[in-house]
Amino acid sequence: MSIQLVFSNTSVQATSLFCESLDIRYDVSHSRSEKVTTVQKWDSSIKKHIVVGEFKTPVFAKDELRVKGETEWHPLNEILYREGRRFFNTTRTFEGTSGVKYKWRVHDGSLELRLASDSANDQGVPLVIHRKSQKGQAPSLEIIDPSVLYSLDMIVVTFLVMEKWRRIRVRRRRAALIAAVVA
């Protein structure tokens, strides 16, 4: 049986993800002045939000990330990196909390998370799938394999970065198409 982390809306910079049955809640906010997106997890045992990650995706500078209480920013491509030398490859790999390597990839317009060793040749079952909103259903992250819950903080943060990048690519393609049609 899968676990659904349901989004409160379709934004990747101002939303909440939650699974009430497991008491999981993440809140995402964006500071326009600092250009930082912050991901916080609600800890019901201490009744406080804990910052699990922050990322910057500026237009004219390198993207940066810091996770769980770090004070130093790291280049995002060191944490969420492209394997191989294929320039147009949109697949990105990262290491989870437990040391397991995972890979986000776009499949049929949505992101899927797989084990890095499985997804090199697209074998294996997706561990997490992004479900877009459809006919009255809110978007969600469907966690198919509960073993990823140990790395859920990192999965949520990297998903938000990947989804933001994916949306930017879609907007650029649409703009290029419109420009080509108008020209």
Side-chain angles (χ1 to χ4, degrees):
M1 184 173 177
S2 65
I3 299 165
Q4 300 285 330
L5 277 180
V6 180
F7 287 84
S8 60
N9 58 45
T10 59
S11 173
V12 292
Q13 291 184 314
T15 190
S16 295
L17 293 90
F18 56 90
C19 175
E20 289 183 15
S21 64
L22 295 178
D23 197 25
I24 298 171
R25 182 180 179 94
Y26 291 92
D27 292 304
V28 183
S29 60
H30 182 75
S31 166
R32 287 184 186 260
S33 61
E34 296 177 24
K35 299 192 180 351
V36 174
T37 301
T38 303
V39 183
Q40 299 180 335
K41 181 179 184 177
W42 175 252
D43 187 334
S44 58
S45 65
I46 59 172
K47 303 213 181 319
K48 277 179 67 174
H49 278 100
I50 298 168
V51 175
V52 295
E54 296 178 294
F55 60 91
K56 298 179 190 177
T57 53
V59 176
F60 297 110
K62 295 282 184 182
D63 297 344
E64 295 179 305
L65 174 76
R66 63 180 171 198
V67 292
K68 282 202 181 173
E70 290 184 350
T71 56
E72 202 172 310
W73 289 95
H74 301 281
L76 193 52
N77 62 4
E78 289 179 6
I79 296 168
L80 190 59
Y81 57 92
R82 179 184 301 148
E83 286 189 336
R85 297 185 183 260
R86 293 183 10 220
F87 181 73
F88 292 106
N89 183 5
T90 58
T91 302
R92 296 291 185 276
T93 302
F94 70 96
E95 191 171 307
T97 310
S98 57
V100 176
K101 287 188 178 184
Y102 299 102
K103 199 173 263 196
W104 282 111
R105 74 178 194 117
V106 178
H107 179 72
D108 290 336
S110 289
L111 288 165
E112 290 184 347
L113 182 76
R114 296 174 182 256
L115 288 172
S117 59
D118 287 345
S119 59
N121 56 6
D122 292 336
Q123 299 298 310
V125 177
L127 306 172
V128 177
I129 299 174
H130 176 227
R131 304 280 184 205
K132 295 180 182 179
S133 57
Q134 296 177 349
K135 295 182 185 174
Q137 285 188 328
S140 67
L141 279 181
E142 181 180 359
I143 301 167
I144 297 167
D145 186 341
S147 70
V148 302
L149 290 174
Y150 294 108
S151 295
L152 190 57
D153 294 347
M154 197 61 172
I155 288 170
V156 169
V157 171
T158 57
F159 165 77
L160 292 166
V161 171
M162 290 292 294
E163 180 62 8
K164 181 170 182 179
W165 286 348
R166 188 195 69 76
R167 290 179 184 190
I168 289 169
R169 280 191 304 275
V170 167
R171 275 197 308 266
R172 285 180 182 158
R173 271 190 240 128
R174 283 185 188 142
L177 183 62
I178 290 169
V181 169
V182 172

